[in-house]
Amino acid sequence: MLDDKFNEKITIRIPDAVVDGVMTYQDYVGQAMVTESTSAQIEPKSKVTLNRTFLVKTRCEPCPGAIILYHDETHYLKTVRSCRNITGELECYRCTS
């Protein structure tokens, strides 16, 4: 149903191992549909927060703590959920940063 909407190219970096105290990553390329939302707080301090949600089609399974590189921006994933069709087949992953 949404196949024609996955038109953004992203890179997903999955944590792999720690080598000499430095985290190493495995990179995967995927297609995504990106939505943005903003929220504003007025009191006690004024701040505006931008949140992005990615619907991702990729051959790896993203996990919280993974990184999505999108238009030279780094997004650390907070939540990841599987999206399935009515027959139970995996369609994509819903990732929020």
Side-chain angles (χ1 to χ4, degrees):
M1 185 167 121
L2 296 173
D3 287 336
D4 60 334
K5 304 295 182 196
F6 291 86
N7 52 11
E8 297 289 338
K9 203 171 241 193
I10 60 166
T11 301
I12 300 173
R13 303 187 82 200
I14 306 288
D16 190 25
V18 177
V19 176
D20 295 330
V22 177
M23 182 64 73
T24 60
Y25 295 91
Q26 187 78 25
D27 289 354
Y28 297 92
V29 176
Q31 296 293 105
M33 182 176 93
V34 183
T35 61
E36 297 178 352
S37 64
T38 57
S39 60
Q41 176 181 334
I42 303 210
E43 303 268 337
K45 286 184 179 178
S46 295
K47 77 175 184 178
V48 175
T49 305
L50 172 67
N51 298 312
R52 283 207 171 105
T53 300
F54 299 88
L55 291 180
V56 177
K57 286 191 174 188
T58 183
R59 61 184 178 98
C60 70
E61 182 176 349
C63 59
I67 298 171
I68 288 184
L69 302 174
Y70 171 69
H71 292 293
D72 297 327
E73 296 176 357
T74 302
H75 299 275
Y76 295 91
L77 298 185
K78 294 179 186 171
T79 62
V80 177
R81 292 185 177 203
S82 299
C83 298
R84 300 185 180 276
N85 63 17
I86 196 158
T87 62
E89 192 176 331
L90 181 66
E91 287 287 326
C92 61
Y93 296 97
R94 182 181 185 270
C95 306
T96 56
S97 61

